[in-house]
Amino acid sequence: MSGENDLRPGELALELPAAYDAGVYFIGRIRTPFKSRNDCPKSPAQSDAIGRVELDPPYAAGLADLALYSHVFLLYWMDRARRDLIQQVPAYLDHPRGTFALRSPVRPNPIALAAVELIGIEATTLSVRKIDCIDGTPLIDIKPYFASIDSFPHARRP
Amino acid sequence: MSGENDLRPGELALELPAAYDAGVYFIGRIRTPFKSRNDCPKSPAQSDAIGRVELDPPYAAGLADLALYSHVFLLYWMDRARRDLIQQVPAYLDHPRGTFALRSPVRPNPIALAAVELIGIEATTLSVRKIDCIDGTPLIDIKPYFASIDSFPHARRP
């Protein structure tokens, strides 16, 4: 095997369980200018891209009142990522870091989380600012952002 | 049928798809003082409870370097919630609101998101502050919190 699925020195794979514990529905798709993982910005902080969140029509009623919020969380499913790496060596580090200390798409449950500015809603399409995923990524949830419980401006990181 | 699964006036249920699109693994459990949904605080802002996140031992290596962060996101699976309500009437509102404009556990994919302060890590157990879920809730992911992309102190809400 070769290509992006190779392990780097220091990376660690594990054997995943034989069965899933629960199931998710894809409820829409996220449209972005990025056609492959290499096209994607390294982080939403480096992206001013406008994206469109296309919710599947049966879920339309779930958007009622969402436009009252300035920011939302998107949860999406990184369906091209392997799930079995438990330590990884990102390009910017010289040692392995635990998967749960990284925002890498590679994780046991490949769910990504992005807090984005909500620009507008038309029918079942949301326009959002600062989104960095691959075009066509499956959407699994939208949540309102509450500064009172979600914002920690002084949170420390290494 | 009776009890907490009844619909309130204005609430709207939908028919969910016949099959799931992807599967999740439960990777641990969250231990809290709250034994039922009625015991839980309405929001983590109202909780100073210390919780324990018990990661299953096969995933232990995924915690390397996590202690360098002051805050983490927990993603967990609200396994007692129905999934088919697309509009809901919370106790504090007099009209239905879309599920995606609420943080209610009731949603097509019952994944909750909590930003919590990381107090400490011992082996595969994390101590965290401000957690409001039911004791025993299945854990599905841990992510580091990055103020640069996750914190919007001026986000507006109704």
Side-chain angles (χ1 to χ4, degrees), chain B residues 108-125:
Chain B
N109 293 305
I111 298 168
L113 173 66
V116 296
E117 184 189 340
L118 180 58
I119 302 172
I121 304 177
E122 284 195 45
T124 52
T125 299

Side-chain angles (χ1 to χ4, degrees), chain B residues 1-153:
Chain B
M1 235 175 57
S2 69
E4 64 183 36
N5 279 342
D6 284 343
L7 290 191
R8 299 178 192 171
E11 293 193 325
L12 195 60
L14 60 89
E15 189 160 352
L16 291 167
Y20 298 123
D21 295 296
V24 302
Y25 303 113
F26 295 165
I27 61 171
R29 297 272 166 182
I30 303 178
R31 314 306 313 207
T32 72
F34 313 118
K35 299 302 176 196
S36 75
R37 188 165 165 190
N38 283 339
D39 288 344
C40 293
K42 291 297 168 205
S43 137
Q46 296 165 23
S47 163
D48 265 325
I50 306 283
R52 280 179 298 123
V53 179
E54 299 178 346
L55 185 68
D56 291 342
Y59 301 101
L63 297 177
D65 277 358
L66 186 63
L68 299 173
Y69 296 87
S70 66
H71 292 72
V72 299
F73 282 117
L74 303 176
L75 271 63
Y76 48 94
W77 191 264
M78 293 170 292
D79 56 350
R80 304 193 197 180
R82 66 188 289 173
R83 299 173 65 162
D84 63 339
L85 292 194
I86 198 65
Q87 289 198 340
Q88 301 171 55
V89 184
Y92 58 86
L93 270 189
D94 57 4
H95 66 276
R97 182 161 278 178
T99 289
F100 303 123
L102 295 168
R103 294 287 277 262
S104 162
V106 174
R107 48 208 317 119
N109 293 305
I111 298 168
L113 173 66
V116 296
E117 184 189 340
L118 180 58
I119 302 172
I121 304 177
E122 284 195 45
T124 52
T125 299
L126 285 61
S127 298
V128 301
R129 201 185 310 273
K130 288 195 185 288
I131 181 76
D132 63 355
C133 65
I134 298 177
D135 185 49
T137 297
L139 176 73
I140 59 173
D141 203 5
I142 303 169
K143 297 180 188 294
Y145 186 99
F146 294 162
S148 56
I149 57 172
D150 298 320
S151 178
F152 294 93

